[in-house]
């Protein structure tokens, strides 16, 4: 939903009716994961996609029906090899889709304030609006929807908006949503209060974007910054040389920082989702920042350079006190072997290695592999 958030906010503020269609369950191979969202306006306009085309037509029709009825609908799309007209995924997977009508009424206006315990239709609209605005400001937020009723809570780190209509259940939902937000996971949970029955609640976590830290303000860094933004990273380019580290040279980066790389990295404290790409291939910059990165939690640490440069770099890192296990984390020479030479081709090779590592992919050509392409 966050991917189409700007347009959804415009619809909410204008008081326009629409349906949010979200994938809440996946079994087998599917092109999109849990949380993928499309929206269908009352006039038929569509935002986003759930399957790349396999179920889009059926979802569009069901969304307009749900909007006419005013009630949420949960449906499944299962492949049926015996029915040539059945709607399903050609890859053989199964999807559970939740269609949630949203009726803002007269519109919110861009600065509408809401009470934290608002419920029903108004509470849902207020919660969605607050969540989308929080995400736009770069704040972590989870959207929790009770699938039986569509009632919605937007849950931030310290506050929440909306409600289920049951204050005790609200507390349970908020606690679970915060826990899932902390883990950066989305999915359905069966939540209840003591003595009550279970309620299926779908929680969609919108954590802050992971960070891509690019050290070395060279042409390859400009290409990699563009690729990082394309993949959804918050991109920082850092170099100690002010003549190279300029906003004009790196307009796609979220930040351009003039600092010694190792000092900056130590200051910002990256997490396990962070990506560190060292492109300077200059020992006076490389060794201090790689020592800092390889002893930290960053999920990916790579360094540009020839094999000769890398061998010399490893010797220097050993001399600086790094252990064999720490050095094993270093991806160098950085990227997959795609045979490219230009900065743009190099950026693609680096991005491919990052994506493969993040998703536990083999990086082998699909032509030469077997089994499901998308594993739930």
């Amino acid at each position: 939903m966050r991917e189409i958030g700007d347009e959804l906010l415009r619809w909410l503020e204008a008081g326009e009716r629409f349906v949010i269609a979200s994938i809440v369950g996946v079994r087998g191979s599917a092109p999109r994961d849990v949380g993928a969202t499309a929206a269908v306006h009352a006039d038929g306009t569509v935002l986003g996609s759930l399957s790349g085309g396999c179920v889009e037509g059926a979802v569009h029709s069901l969304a307009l029906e749900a909007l006419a009825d005013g009630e949420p609908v949960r449906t499944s799309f299962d492949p049926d090899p015996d029915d040539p007209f059945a709607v399903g995924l050609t890859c053989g997977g199964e999807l559970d889709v939740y269609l949630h009508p949203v009726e803002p009424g007269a519109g919110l206006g861009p600065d509408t304030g809401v009470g934290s315990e608002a419920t029903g239709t108004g509470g849902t609209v207020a919660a969605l609006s607050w969540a989308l605005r929080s995400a736009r400001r770069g704040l972590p937020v989870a959207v929790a929807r009770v699938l039986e009723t569509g009632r919605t809570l937007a849950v931030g780190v310290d506050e929440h908006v909306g409600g289920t209509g049951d204050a005790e259940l609200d507390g349970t939902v908020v606690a679970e949503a915060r826990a899932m937000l902390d883990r950066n996971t989305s999915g359905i949970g069966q939540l209840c209060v003591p003595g009550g029955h279970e309620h299926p609640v779908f929680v969609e976590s919108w954590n802050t974007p992971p960070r891509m830290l690019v050290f070395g303000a060279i042409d390859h860094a400009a290409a990699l910054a563009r690729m990082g933004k394309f993949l959804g990273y918050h991109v920082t380019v850092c170099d100690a040389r002010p003549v190279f580290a300029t906003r004009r040279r790196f307009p796609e980066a979220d930040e351009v920082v003039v600092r010694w790389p190792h000092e900056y990295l130590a200051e910002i404290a990256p997490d396990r989702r962070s990506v560190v790409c060292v492109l300077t291939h200059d020992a006076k910059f490389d060794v201090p920042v790689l020592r800092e990165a390889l002893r930290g939690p960053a999920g990916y640490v790579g360094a540009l350079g020839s094999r000769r440069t890398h061998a010399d770099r490893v010797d220097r890192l050993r001399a600086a006190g790094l252990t064999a296990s720490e050095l094993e984390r270093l991806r160098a020479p950085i990227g997959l072997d795609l045979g490219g030479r230009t900065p743009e081709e190099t950026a693609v090779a680096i991005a491919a290695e990052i994506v493969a590592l993040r998703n536990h992919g083999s990086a082998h050509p699909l032509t030469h592999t077997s089994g499901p392409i998308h594993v739930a």
Side-chain angles (χ1 to χ4, degrees), residues 107-133:
L108 291 172
D111 299 309
T112 300
V114 294
S116 63
E117 303 301 329
T119 60
T121 301
T124 293
V125 171
L128 288 174
S129 177
W130 186 83
L132 292 168
R133 288 171 180 154

Side-chain angles (χ1 to χ4, degrees), residues 331 335-338 348-369 373:
R331 300 274 174 160
L336 299 184
D337 181 7
L338 304 183
V348 170
I350 296 169
E353 184 175 46
I354 291 169
V355 171
L357 182 65
R358 184 175 66 187
N359 297 318
H360 308 289
S362 69
H364 296 153
L366 292 173
T367 303
H368 302 148
T369 64
I373 296 172

Side-chain angles (χ1 to χ4, degrees), residues 118-186:
T119 60
T121 301
T124 293
V125 171
L128 288 174
S129 177
W130 186 83
L132 292 168
R133 288 171 180 154
S134 296
R136 179 188 278 177
R137 296 197 302 272
L139 301 175
V141 62
V143 177
R145 287 178 279 171
V146 181
L147 299 187
E148 300 159 320
T149 63
R151 288 185 170 178
T152 303
L153 291 91
V155 181
V157 174
D158 298 312
E159 55 186 327
H160 71 274
V161 171
T164 65
D166 180 330
E168 195 170 6
L169 181 60
D170 283 356
T172 301
V173 172
V174 168
E176 179 65 16
R178 286 204 175 114
M180 293 180 71
L181 182 60
D182 184 60
R183 298 192 302 269
N184 196 33
T185 57
S186 299

Side-chain angles (χ1 to χ4, degrees), residues 10-374:
R10 284 192 284 271
W11 288 357
L12 286 167
E13 291 169 359
E16 297 174 7
R17 302 165 61 241
F18 59 93
V19 169
I20 296 171
S22 301
I23 296 178
V24 298
V26 174
R27 293 172 296 282
S29 179
R32 301 294 304 277
D33 206 349
V34 169
T37 298
V40 180
H41 192 280
D43 67 7
T45 300
V46 179
L47 303 174
S49 173
L50 298 184
S51 68
C54 298
V55 304
E56 256 53 43
V59 168
H60 186 271
S61 298
L62 290 170
L64 293 178
E65 291 176 12
L67 194 58
D69 295 340
E71 296 294 333
V73 176
R74 183 178 175 183
T75 188
S76 296
F77 293 97
D78 307 326
D80 185 350
D82 299 322
D83 183 356
F85 299 103
V87 177
L89 299 178
T90 58
C91 51
E94 302 176 9
L95 294 181
D96 294 331
V97 176
Y98 183 66
L99 299 114
H100 184 191
V102 180
E103 307 205 25
L108 291 172
D111 299 309
T112 300
V114 294
S116 63
E117 303 301 329
T119 60
T121 301
T124 293
V125 171
L128 288 174
S129 177
W130 186 83
L132 292 168
R133 288 171 180 154
S134 296
R136 179 188 278 177
R137 296 197 302 272
L139 301 175
V141 62
V143 177
R145 287 178 279 171
V146 181
L147 299 187
E148 300 159 320
T149 63
R151 288 185 170 178
T152 303
L153 291 91
V155 181
V157 174
D158 298 312
E159 55 186 327
H160 71 274
V161 171
T164 65
D166 180 330
E168 195 170 6
L169 181 60
D170 283 356
T172 301
V173 172
V174 168
E176 179 65 16
R178 286 204 175 114
M180 293 180 71
L181 182 60
D182 184 60
R183 298 192 302 269
N184 196 33
T185 57
S186 299
I188 294 177
Q190 300 291 334
L191 304 183
C192 64
V193 297
H197 73 278
E198 292 185 336
H199 301 272
V201 177
F202 176 61
V203 177
E204 185 177 351
S205 295
W206 302 344
N207 217 317
T208 52
R211 301 198 66 168
M212 174 179 280
L213 302 161
V214 182
F215 296 106
I218 63 175
D219 288 347
H220 289 76
L224 185 56
R226 291 193 293 272
M227 185 61 67
K229 290 301 295 179
F230 178 74
L231 293 176
Y233 285 93
H234 179 96
V235 178
T236 300
V237 175
C238 175
D239 198 299
R241 301 164 294 183
V243 68
F244 296 120
T246 65
R247 171 58 65 183
R248 183 175 181 179
R249 296 189 68 221
F250 302 99
E252 292 87 358
D254 295 287
E255 299 174 288
V256 179
V257 176
V258 180
R259 292 280 301 279
W260 276 89
H262 67 286
E263 294 177 354
Y264 178 71
L265 185 60
E267 181 180 289
I268 63 168
D271 60 25
R272 59 183 176 80
R273 298 186 302 145
S274 301
V275 167
V276 175
C277 301
V278 178
L279 308 184
T280 50
H281 51 88
D282 182 332
K284 68 176 176 290
F285 295 116
D286 287 6
V287 172
V289 73
L290 286 172
R291 182 176 58 208
E292 186 71 34
L294 293 170
R295 287 178 170 169
Y300 176 94
V301 181
L304 185 69
S306 67
R307 297 194 187 280
R308 180 176 177 178
T309 298
H310 175 58
D312 176 70
R313 180 192 292 133
V314 169
D315 288 342
R316 292 173 182 270
L317 288 170
R318 285 198 187 102
L322 270 75
T323 66
S325 61
E326 289 169 339
L327 288 171
E328 284 178 1
R329 298 184 56 219
L330 178 59
R331 300 274 174 160
I334 196 170
L336 299 184
D337 181 7
L338 304 183
R341 291 179 177 272
T342 68
E344 289 74 20
E345 289 172 335
T346 302
V348 170
I350 296 169
E353 184 175 46
I354 291 169
V355 171
L357 182 65
R358 184 175 66 187
N359 297 318
H360 308 289
S362 69
H364 296 153
L366 292 173
T367 303
H368 302 148
T369 64
S370 60
I373 296 172
H374 306 284

